[in-house]
Amino acid sequence: MSLLAIEGLTIALPPGGERAHAIEDVSLALDPGEILCVVGESGSGKSMTASAVMGLVPEGLPVVAGRIVFEGTDLLRLPPEDMRELRGRRLGMVFQEPMTALNPLMTVGEQIAEVFRVHGETGDVRGRVLRLLEDVRLPDPPALLGAYPFRLSGGQRQRVMIAMALALGPSVLIADEPTTALDVTTQMQILRLIRQLQQDKGTGVLFITHDFGVVAEIADRVAVMQRGRVVEQGPAGRVLNAPEHPYTRALIDAVPHGRARAAATGGGEVLRLQAVRKTFRRGGGLFRRGTTVVAVKDAEFTLAKGETLGLVGESGSGKSTLARCVVRLVEPDGGTIAFHGTDLRRLSRGAMKPYRRRIQIVFQDPYASLNPRRKIGDIIAEGPVTHGVPRPEAMARVRELLRLVQLDEGAIDRYPHEFSGGQRQRIGLARALALDPELLIADEPVSALDVSVQAQVLALLDDIRHRLGLTMLFITHDLRVAAQVCDRIAVMQRGEIVELGDTAQVFGSPRHAYTRELLDAIPGKHWMPPARAA
């Protein structure tokens, strides 16, 4: 008998939506000591399925059919107080964004200890918390007890969430996209940690993801969801290597292949950086000295016309700071940033204005960078109008750009919240292109997108680059993505460029140990999708 069985589960959506059910006739089974990966894009129903198991389905979304049987008990029939007792003790959950799931006003030690106290556990709670922090491989557990979540890195916060979920030894662990926004090395550490804990404790793991690279790394079995329904499921080897459903094949085809492309032949020099430096001071006060953080240390590279250079590294490596130094959103402390021979560092704010038109940036989070109170047409037209283009001419250009980024012209009169993440990223790209830039800086433009949407945006970027002759500085922590779009790669670690070369050279014969570490951390690196293997 399965440890957890979801049988014909159907959850209704409010009337008037694009479909009648959030999930429909979903049946899944999880055995002890097994990792079942549930795969699908945003809106496929995978997170709703996990929420139903935990009894966390939002009000207004009624369960209209099915059962969720855990250790012989139908969870849907349990009184709320019994469900609260199971939640945490027998059913643990790790959420996608730990910073929103952790209380910012409580220390790490207090939050983990609260799990024990809520369930009436007494005794040496502090000792148990320390052992949990050791189990999830966190450094210096005694010091972490008194630390607040904002002091920790994303990977460390995710480990704290895993420690809380495992505190009472649950027999089922649900991990909802726990590695989506993490660097590849941190992602691999979390995946290995979950696999090791599952093997050591015999926990059944329901792992939710949109990335088949992650599936290839850890899954025993796979269930693929589309628009609320399970369209395919089976052993991981079979689904990965002989997928039957067209949607499964489409998701697998969208995984970045990680093979270096042939480098483009560049034209004249567009950008040259020499000895660029940037430091920040953190903390400190009237009677307290702060700490100095070296964000960028003597960075140097050149960028030729029509070339794409990838800046690759983990969070905190300095790649985004370096990009912002180029456009002077951050003021560098020293060095030369020469754009067509003009050192941008020496220009006044007023003298920079013409160059801001020629250098544009696409940000990682398009929703945060788009004004929610303004219509899309006004957002895209703002740059040209500011630089003196008559509004009718600017709006005509907006329509051209929307067609270029494959959006309907009707988007002009809509607001950012009416679009999906991939569509918002296209809008951000259209806004950047509105001023006909020579240099486009793309700062993690696809890291938070589903793999299929990611593939579409990458293909669009590549197409626009060729059509418009753009030069591009592309920032990413995912080497699979960098291989797909970049001619050369600069690898950054702790503010330094530790390796720079053609993409094929960096992938084929990396010189620096850190580059080799990043390549080894690519999820599913040993798995070759069937279409590509052929």
Side-chain angles (χ1 to χ4, degrees):
M1 189 170 96
S2 298
L3 174 63
L4 175 70
I6 302 172
E7 302 171 355
L9 185 64
T10 300
I11 298 177
L13 285 171
E18 62 175 18
R19 65 180 196 248
H21 300 104
I23 56 176
E24 185 175 0
D25 196 25
V26 169
S27 294
L28 300 170
L30 177 68
D31 293 331
E34 178 183 54
I35 295 182
L36 169 64
C37 278
V38 182
V39 191
E41 298 171 290
S42 298
S44 63
K46 56 191 190 299
S47 292
M48 183 64 70
T49 303
S51 296
V53 174
M54 296 296 293
L56 298 175
V57 175
E59 290 184 20
L61 301 182
V63 176
V64 296
R67 302 195 306 158
I68 302 175
V69 180
F70 171 66
E71 295 181 336
T73 301
D74 184 357
L75 300 181
L76 298 178
R77 297 182 178 277
L78 281 182
E81 58 272 18
D82 291 349
M83 192 65 209
R84 278 195 296 272
E85 178 61 23
L86 277 180
R87 195 185 300 129
R89 184 177 292 279
R90 304 295 294 143
L91 301 168
M93 186 162 183
V94 180
F95 296 93
Q96 178 174 354
E97 180 41 69
M99 198 58 187
T100 58
L102 294 172
N103 188 331
L105 302 178
M106 293 177 68
T107 66
V108 166
E110 290 169 343
Q111 294 191 60
I112 300 176
E114 187 179 39
V115 177
F116 294 108
R117 296 195 177 98
V118 164
H119 288 274
E121 299 283 325
T122 56
D124 184 15
V125 171
R126 185 179 186 277
R128 294 173 73 175
V129 171
L130 284 171
R131 284 191 294 275
L132 278 168
L133 293 176
E134 291 169 359
D135 285 345
V136 296
R137 319 287 195 273
L138 275 165
D140 197 3
L144 279 177
L145 288 179
Y148 288 89
F150 72 90
R151 293 285 187 190
L152 309 184
S153 69
Q156 289 174 326
R157 289 195 291 265
Q158 199 61 277
R159 289 167 188 260
V160 170
M161 283 292 301
I162 293 171
M164 292 174 68
L166 294 173
L168 296 171
S171 54
V172 169
L173 176 66
I174 298 174
D176 187 2
E177 298 269 17
T179 63
T180 295
L182 300 180
D183 301 319
V184 285
T185 49
T186 308
Q187 179 185 60
M188 184 56 70
Q189 292 166 7
I190 296 295
L191 293 177
R192 288 173 178 164
L193 173 63
I194 289 175
R195 169 62 86 179
Q196 188 62 50
L197 292 170
Q198 171 256 332
Q199 290 174 344
D200 292 346
K201 301 178 183 298
T203 307
V205 179
L206 189 66
F207 194 103
I208 293 165
T209 183
H210 65 255
D211 188 344
F212 263 97
V214 170
V215 173
E217 200 66 45
I218 65 165
D220 298 311
R221 285 192 307 112
V222 183
V224 182
M225 293 189 69
Q226 180 187 27
R227 295 180 59 81
R229 299 183 69 93
V230 175
V231 297
E232 183 167 358
Q233 62 177 308
R238 201 274 298 159
V239 175
L240 286 166
N241 299 308
E244 296 171 356
H245 197 276
Y247 178 69
T248 309
R249 291 196 292 270
L251 286 180
I252 290 175
D253 288 344
V255 176
H257 47 63
R259 293 196 308 273
R261 73 173 193 180
T265 303
E269 183 179 287
V270 172
L271 184 70
R272 176 179 290 272
L273 269 64
Q274 292 180 298
V276 175
R277 305 183 303 280
K278 180 61 186 177
T279 59
F280 294 101
R281 290 191 64 80
R282 289 181 179 167
L286 189 60
F287 302 107
R288 206 160 39 90
R289 293 184 63 183
T291 58
T292 300
V293 178
V294 179
V296 178
K297 182 180 179 183
D298 295 329
E300 298 191 353
F301 64 77
T302 60
L303 192 52
K305 182 174 175 56
E307 181 186 32
T308 297
L309 174 68
L311 277 181
V312 177
E314 297 171 289
S315 295
S317 62
K319 55 190 188 298
S320 290
T321 300
L322 181 56
R324 282 163 168 73
C325 285
V326 172
V327 290
R328 289 191 45 196
L329 291 176
V330 169
E331 290 292 342
D333 298 326
T336 301
I337 301 173
F339 180 71
H340 288 293
T342 300
D343 187 358
L344 302 182
R345 277 198 64 239
R346 299 184 180 278
L347 298 179
S348 66
R349 287 285 179 182
M352 265 296 294
K353 186 175 178 180
Y355 291 93
R356 294 196 187 282
R357 179 171 187 162
R358 299 167 68 186
I359 305 172
Q360 286 289 298
I361 188 166
V362 179
F363 295 96
Q364 176 175 358
D365 185 350
Y367 196 66
S369 62
L370 298 176
N371 189 330
R373 295 183 176 87
R374 301 193 68 190
K375 293 180 180 179
I376 296 306
D378 295 330
I379 290 172
I380 298 174
E382 181 179 20
V385 170
T386 301
H387 283 82
V389 176
R391 183 169 176 79
E393 185 180 330
M395 293 307 292
R397 176 65 173 151
V398 169
R399 292 183 177 87
E400 289 177 19
L401 287 167
L402 288 173
R403 288 194 295 270
L404 184 67
V405 300
Q406 299 165 16
L407 285 175
D408 189 271
E409 287 184 26
I412 283 179
D413 295 317
R414 296 163 64 190
Y415 291 90
H417 73 270
E418 299 179 63
F419 296 88
S420 68
Q423 289 172 324
R424 288 196 292 265
Q425 197 58 276
R426 291 166 188 262
I427 292 163
L429 181 56
R431 179 177 61 177
L433 295 174
L435 290 166
D436 295 317
E438 297 174 53
L439 173 61
L440 183 68
I441 299 173
D443 188 1
E444 296 273 16
V446 297
S447 63
L449 303 179
D450 292 325
V451 284
S452 56
V453 180
Q454 180 185 83
Q456 294 166 13
V457 173
L458 290 176
L460 177 65
L461 273 172
D462 205 42
D463 177 58
I464 289 172
R465 181 178 77 105
H466 283 101
R467 276 206 265 172
L468 304 182
L470 276 175
T471 304
M472 191 154 60
L473 186 61
F474 190 95
I475 299 162
T476 182
H477 65 256
D478 190 336
L479 272 84
R480 297 174 302 176
V481 170
Q484 194 163 319
V485 299
C486 299
D487 301 304
R488 289 190 300 138
I489 289 178
V491 181
M492 292 194 71
Q493 181 187 32
R494 300 192 191 95
E496 286 188 82
I497 295 177
V498 297
E499 182 157 358
L500 174 63
D502 289 347
T503 303
Q505 176 265 305
V506 171
F507 271 72
S509 54
R511 300 188 184 101
H512 197 275
Y514 179 65
T515 308
R516 292 193 289 272
E517 182 183 342
L518 289 178
L519 290 168
D520 288 342
I522 294 174
K525 60 185 178 296
H526 300 304
W527 165 63
M528 178 64 72
R532 294 169 196 162

